[in-house]
Amino acid sequence: MQTRLENGERRAKADGAVSGKTSECKKMLVLALDLSTPRGSLALLRTSRRKAVDTTLVCQNDHSTRVLPAIERLLKKIPAELKNVDAFVVTEGPGSFTGLRVALATVLGLAEGRKVRIYPISTLKAAAIALRDGAPWISPVMDAGRGAVYAGLYFGGTNNPSALLRDGEFSPDKWISRLDRFQNVSFCGTGVSLMPPYIQPKTRRISPHKA
């Protein structure tokens, strides 16, 4: 499983398909899965027509019984058949071990025996791509349990944000201390509520007068 994902990641870096830099990408049908949290999400995109459909899976225990029916519903909405899917994008963590395992197993099973590309992406980078609120720096934070957060920092000035600080697990205060040299950081994700009170609740940005 890991080898297949590593090969997919190398191809993604080589041809830029995930960030939409090739002409080939304009004709692709892409299925994306993120089951790293209890509130999982799936999306299906037909790049040639800029048409996309998505859905949310809310499950506190296991996404495994819901993910395949959800994919079938998305295919009907586009409309398309599974055999028409050209590539899969799947979050590889951080997040729920069970959810990540279900997502990877689902993608590998659907791609079995077909020449289909699989592109793994950091869960936090996917969140940074989704935000793009104009802030120069984006910090996705996820609730890691026990008062900790999974966090990363990305440059928000492009459609394909680059990592500035490596993703990891931190206490909220420790993560904030690592952002001291960055101004106007925008936060997103399930861990925002765990961050210190100087994170402005309306803008989800660090106050310039933080204590």
Side-chain angles (χ1 to χ4, degrees):
M1 179 182 295
Q2 188 61 33
T3 300
R4 181 76 176 274
L5 288 172
E6 289 172 350
N7 290 341
E9 186 171 24
R10 284 194 290 269
R11 288 196 299 270
K13 291 178 179 178
D15 62 24
V18 171
S19 56
K21 295 182 180 178
T22 66
S23 58
E24 179 185 359
C25 183
K26 296 179 180 179
K27 300 179 180 180
M28 295 176 71
L29 182 63
V30 182
L31 178 62
L33 290 81
D34 176 14
L35 305 182
S36 59
T37 69
R39 189 177 181 85
S41 62
L42 291 79
L44 189 63
L45 171 67
R46 191 187 296 278
T47 58
S48 61
R49 300 179 185 176
R50 292 176 178 260
K51 181 178 181 181
V53 292
D54 57 31
T55 189
T56 299
L57 301 179
V58 181
C59 181
Q60 296 299 322
N61 298 311
D62 189 356
H63 291 296
S64 60
T65 60
R66 300 188 179 187
V67 62
L68 290 178
I71 291 173
E72 291 178 1
R73 291 194 295 272
L74 290 182
L75 289 167
K76 290 179 180 178
K77 288 181 179 180
I78 275 287
E81 297 182 33
L82 182 59
K83 66 181 181 181
N84 302 131
V85 174
D86 300 296
F88 295 92
V89 178
V90 59
T91 51
E92 60 180 351
S96 161
F97 174 79
T98 299
L100 295 171
R101 178 180 57 80
V102 169
L104 293 176
T106 298
V107 165
L108 290 172
L110 295 177
E112 184 68 28
R114 301 175 56 214
K115 295 181 179 179
V116 180
R117 293 174 176 176
I118 300 175
Y119 299 115
I121 184 173
S122 160
T123 307
L124 297 173
K125 180 174 182 176
I129 292 173
L131 181 61
R132 289 186 293 181
D133 67 347
W137 321 113
I138 299 174
S139 178
V141 286
M142 296 172 56
D143 186 349
R146 304 176 302 281
V149 295
Y150 299 122
L153 184 69
Y154 292 82
F155 175 62
T158 70
N159 290 333
N160 186 25
S162 56
L164 298 172
L165 296 177
R166 180 175 295 185
D167 296 351
E169 183 176 342
F170 308 89
S171 70
D173 286 324
K174 179 67 174 178
W175 178 242
I176 290 297
S177 71
R178 299 196 65 187
L179 304 180
D180 276 348
R181 68 182 187 274
F182 298 96
Q183 298 296 320
N184 203 20
V185 177
S186 187
F187 289 82
C188 62
T190 59
V192 171
S193 62
L194 299 176
M195 303 304 286
Y198 45 74
I199 302 301
Q200 300 177 32
K202 291 185 178 180
T203 62
R204 291 190 172 186
R205 296 187 180 181
I206 296 180
S207 166
H209 306 296
K210 64 179 183 293

